[in-house]
Amino acid sequence: MYNSHRGMVPPAPSSRLAELIDQIRQEFESQAGRTGEYEHQLTNQMHEMELVRQKVYQLEQAQLELKKTYDAEIARLHRELETRGGPAPPAHGGASAHGAGQPPPPSIGHGPSNIFGGIMAGQGGQGGPGLAPPQDQSQAPPQAGPPHQMPQPPPAVPQPGPLQAPPQPYAAYGGAPPPVNGYAAPPPNPAASPGPGKGRNIRGLPGPNTPQQPAGQYPDPRASPQVARPTPPPPQPPPQHPVANVGNFLADLRPERLGSYQKKEGSDWYAVFNPQVQRALDVDLVHTLQHDSVVCCVRFSLDGKYVATGCNRAAQIFDVATGARVSYLEDASVEKDGDLYIRSVCFSPDGRYLATGAEDKLIRVWDIASRSIKHTFAGHEQDIYSLDYSRTGRHIASGSGDRTVRLWDVDAGQNVLTFSIEDGVTTVAISPDGRYVAAGSLDKSVRVWDASTGLVVERLDGADGHRDSVYSVSFAPNGRDIVSGSLDKSIKLWELPPRAGLTSLSGTGPKGGKCIRTFEGHKDFVLSVALTPDNLWILSGSKDRGVQFWDPRTGNAQLMLQGHKNSVISVAPSPSGNVFATGSGDMRARIWSYEPYRGP
C-alpha cells in the first residue's frame, strides 16, 4: 500500500519571485534608456552654451576693437583741432594760452596779492589754474605758486563731453597723459594756496584727478558647477597697432603701445621716447627730496655737489650724491604768521653763499657754513620772483613784480643799476661772461640789457615772439643764445648778434637778435627752461606735470618724463653734467640722471 504522498514532485519556484525579478529588469532597462536621453540633452545644452560663449567672446573682441578705433579717432580730432587753431577741448582744468578765439590776457595790477598767486591760487578774476593737493594726503598744507608765475584768466572746470578721452593705464604715475592730456575724473576739493604777504589764504582751483584703471573684463559666461566644459579657444595676442606720429606732443603717446625701447618706467614715474627720432638718451631717478610745502625752485651749485630748493619760509640744501639734507636756512626774525615762500635761490660761484628771493621783497645772502645772513638787500617794492649770480660772484640780478630788474653789488651791499619796464618781471638771467642781463616779462617780451651801461641792447618779441607772458629765460653756455618758456605753451630759442669768440647753436650770425626755433609739445604752461652745460639739450618743465628734453638743432622732442603729481615749477641741469633736478607743486624735488642711450 503506497503512501499517497510518496513520489510527489517538489513544488515549483514561487511565481512571485520571478515577477519581482522581471520588474527589476524592466526598471533597469527603462532607467538606462532615460540616461541616454539625459546625456543627449546635456550634450545639446553644452553645445548651445559653447555657441553662446563664443558669441560673447566675439562681441567682446569687437567692442575692444571699436574702443581702440574710437580712441585713435579722438586723438586725431584733437590734433586736427589744434592744427587748425581752434579752441582746445577741456583738458584738465588749466587755462590755455591766449590765442585766437580765447580770452585776452588780463590786466595785472601790482599789489601784494595779485602777481604770482594766479596760476596756483586761481584768485578771483585774475586767477589761473590751481594746483591740486598731493593725492596721497588727506590734508594738504598751503601751496605756493611757482617762482615764475603771474595770474591768468580762471580756467573752466573740465566737463565730460564726446571728445573726452577714456582713462589710460599708468595712472600710478600721476596720470599718464592720454590724448590732449585729458582727465575725465572730477576734480578734488580745492586746496589753500599761498600768496605774497603774511596771512594770505587764497583758495585755489583744483587740478586734475589721476585717471583710474579701466574696468575688468566680462565674467566667464561658461561658469557652471560640476559640468565639464569644452576647451576654450586659445587667447589671441593683442593686435599690433602702428605708433601714431604725434610729433613733439609726446603726451599723446599711448605707453602700452610703445616698444620696450621707447619707454622706461619706475615705481612712480615713467618716460616715453619719441618714436619718430633716434633714441639718444636714458633717464633714471636718483633721489626724491620730500618737503613740507610746494617746491618753488631748484638750483645746483657750480661744482654740482649740492642742490638748493626754495619752499615756504625756508631754503634747503641737499647733497646730490647722497640725497641728504645738509642745511636748512630760515630767517628766525620773520614773524611766524602767514606764508613766506622762497621764489628763487642761487649759489655764489664759490659755493659759500646762497642768495634767496622771497615774497617779502627782500634778497637775503646766506653764509652757508654758519647758516647766518651775510647781506640783506631791500629796494624792490613787490615780490621777488627770480635771482641770478654772476660768474664773478660780485653781482646778483633780481626780477620783481614791481616792473624792475635790479643789479646788486654784493661786496658793496648796494643796488648799482635798475632797469625799468612796462610790466612785471618774472625771470632774470646773467650771461656767462657777465656782460648782459636778460629778463622775461608779463608783456610777452624778452629784454637784454648791457650790464655795464644799463642800456637795452635787444628786445625779443614781435611776430616771432611769444603770444603770452614769458615765465623763464636762460642763457646758453655759449653766452650767445637764449631760451625762453611761456604761458603760450611754447619754448623759443633766440640768437643774439655775434660777438667775438662766440658761436651760436644755429651757426649763423644775424644782424639782430631773432627767434631761430620754436618748440611746441607741452599741453600747458611752460614754467621753467634751461640748457644742459654741453649745449646739447633744452629742458622744460610744465604745468602739464611733464619734463621734456629737446634737441636745439632739430627742434625735435627726445623724451617726455612724467615723475610728479603736480605742476613742474622748476627744472635745473647740473653744471657738472648728466644730472638735473625738478621741483613741483606735489611738495617734492627730485634729482634725475641722464646719459647717452646704449641700447636695451
Side-chain angles (χ1 to χ4, degrees):
M1 315 310 338
Y2 299 98
N3 191 330
S4 59
H5 298 286
R6 190 176 175 180
M8 291 182 65
V9 180
S14 172
S15 60
R16 178 62 179 168
L17 180 60
E19 291 176 0
L20 292 174
I21 293 175
D22 287 341
Q23 289 178 4
I24 291 173
R25 181 182 300 107
Q26 292 173 4
E27 184 70 19
F28 177 80
E29 292 175 351
S30 174
Q31 293 296 332
R34 290 178 182 176
T35 299
E37 293 177 2
Y38 291 151
E39 290 180 350
H40 181 70
Q41 293 176 3
L42 183 59
T43 300
N44 288 339
Q45 291 176 357
M46 290 172 61
H47 179 68
E48 292 177 0
M49 292 182 66
E50 176 65 14
L51 293 177
V52 171
R53 188 201 66 78
Q54 292 180 358
K55 185 65 175 178
V56 170
Y57 179 81
Q58 292 171 359
L59 290 173
E60 179 184 356
Q61 296 302 309
Q63 189 269 340
L64 292 175
E65 287 299 320
L66 184 62
K67 180 178 180 296
K68 292 172 182 175
T69 302
Y70 173 80
D71 292 345
E73 181 66 12
I74 290 298
R76 186 190 65 79
L77 290 173
H78 284 171
R79 292 192 297 272
E80 181 177 344
L81 188 62
E82 291 182 356
T83 301
R84 294 182 179 182
H92 52 122
S96 60
H98 311 297
Q102 302 186 28
S107 57
I108 299 176
H110 298 280
S113 63
N114 57 2
I115 286 284
F116 264 103
I119 279 190
M120 301 175 69
Q123 64 199 59
Q126 297 290 333
L131 284 179
Q135 304 190 12
D136 56 350
Q137 300 185 21
S138 59
Q139 293 184 348
Q143 299 186 10
H148 306 303
Q149 294 182 339
M150 303 293 171
Q152 293 299 315
V157 176
Q159 300 292 331
L163 292 181
Q164 193 73 18
Q168 301 294 331
Y170 292 81
Y173 310 131
V180 192
N181 212 18
Y183 296 92
N189 293 329
S193 179
K198 67 178 183 179
R200 204 172 88 121
N201 186 17
I202 299 174
R203 296 190 62 193
L205 294 181
N209 274 341
T210 301
Q212 301 299 315
Q213 292 282 8
Q217 301 293 332
Y218 292 103
D220 188 353
R222 298 170 293 148
S224 179
Q226 301 178 358
V227 178
R229 293 291 179 264
T231 303
Q236 300 296 320
Q240 297 297 319
H241 298 274
V243 177
N245 183 359
V246 299
N248 288 329
F249 289 86
L250 303 186
D252 288 341
L253 289 173
R254 300 278 297 275
E256 67 273 16
R257 293 188 178 184
L258 297 177
S260 59
Y261 64 96
Q262 293 171 335
K263 60 185 176 183
K264 183 173 183 177
E265 58 183 307
S267 60
D268 63 348
W269 64 273
Y270 74 95
V272 293
F273 299 87
N274 192 340
Q276 306 302 321
V277 301
Q278 182 71 30
R279 179 173 172 181
L281 288 176
D282 196 12
V283 293
D284 210 344
L285 177 64
V286 180
H287 297 298
T288 297
L289 313 176
Q290 192 66 45
H291 291 66
D292 294 328
S293 67
V294 170
V295 179
C296 297
C297 49
V298 292
R299 198 74 169 266
F300 283 92
S301 60
L302 189 60
D303 59 10
K305 294 181 179 180
Y306 300 97
V307 64
T309 63
C311 54
N312 191 18
R313 309 191 71 84
Q316 303 181 47
I317 301 176
F318 298 84
D319 186 297
V320 172
T322 66
R325 189 175 73 186
V326 297
S327 189
Y328 186 89
L329 306 175
E330 180 178 2
D331 189 347
S333 67
V334 176
E335 295 183 10
K336 300 298 182 183
D337 296 336
D339 298 321
L340 180 63
Y341 277 81
I342 309 301
R343 301 289 192 178
S344 185
V345 295
C346 61
F347 284 93
S348 62
D350 59 10
R352 296 174 55 196
Y353 305 105
L354 184 75
T356 63
E359 295 175 336
D360 61 0
K361 313 169 191 176
L362 298 178
I363 300 168
R364 296 171 176 85
V365 180
W366 294 82
D367 184 307
I368 297 173
S370 64
R371 300 183 185 180
S372 61
I373 298 175
K374 179 178 176 63
H375 296 291
T376 300
F377 297 138
H380 280 296
E381 298 176 0
Q382 295 298 332
D383 301 5
I384 296 167
Y385 301 121
S386 184
L387 298 175
D388 199 16
Y389 240 113
S390 68
R391 291 292 178 90
T392 64
R394 182 175 178 180
H395 294 105
I396 293 175
S398 59
S400 168
D402 64 7
R403 312 182 189 184
T404 66
V405 175
R406 295 175 184 254
L407 199 63
W408 307 84
D409 188 312
V410 177
D411 296 333
Q414 62 184 10
N415 180 198
V416 293
L417 278 176
T418 299
F419 316 129
S420 297
I421 63 172
E422 294 82 12
D423 216 331
V425 178
T426 59
T427 172
V428 296
I430 300 178
S431 62
D433 60 8
R435 294 175 58 188
Y436 297 94
V437 177
S441 169
L442 291 177
D443 65 5
K444 313 174 190 178
S445 298
V446 177
R447 293 173 176 81
V448 182
W449 289 270
D450 187 304
S452 60
T453 66
L455 298 176
V456 176
V457 295
E458 289 291 339
R459 178 166 176 165
L460 308 173
D461 55 10
D464 293 332
H466 286 291
R467 302 182 305 277
D468 209 333
S469 303
V470 178
Y471 269 30
S472 183
V473 296
S474 179
F475 274 97
N478 62 18
R480 168 81 172 279
D481 301 293
I482 293 176
V483 62
S484 59
S486 167
L487 297 193
D488 66 9
K489 309 178 189 177
S490 75
I491 300 112
K492 289 183 180 287
L493 183 63
W494 305 88
E495 185 178 69
L496 300 180
R499 302 196 303 273
L502 296 178
T503 304
S504 73
L505 294 178
S506 71
T508 63
K511 294 181 179 180
K514 71 172 185 178
C515 177
I516 57 176
R517 188 155 285 113
T518 298
F519 308 84
E520 293 181 312
H522 279 294
K523 293 294 185 179
D524 214 322
F525 305 151
V526 177
L527 304 178
S528 184
V529 293
L531 282 117
T532 57
D534 56 10
N535 261 359
L536 294 180
W537 303 103
I538 293 173
L539 281 72
S540 58
S542 168
K543 190 180 176 292
D544 65 13
R545 310 180 184 188
V547 175
Q548 294 199 184
F549 273 67
W550 307 83
D551 186 332
R553 291 165 180 79
T554 65
N556 292 326
Q558 167 70 197
L559 67 89
M560 180 198 67
L561 172 65
Q562 283 281 340
H564 287 284
K565 299 181 187 301
N566 219 316
S567 303
V568 178
I569 301 169
S570 181
V571 296
S574 170
S576 62
N578 300 114
V579 174
F580 67 98
T582 55
S584 170
D586 64 5
M587 304 187 186
R588 296 186 299 180
R590 291 189 135 177
I591 300 175
W592 309 83
S593 66
Y594 67 97
E595 61 183 4
Y597 180 61
R598 296 180 175 85

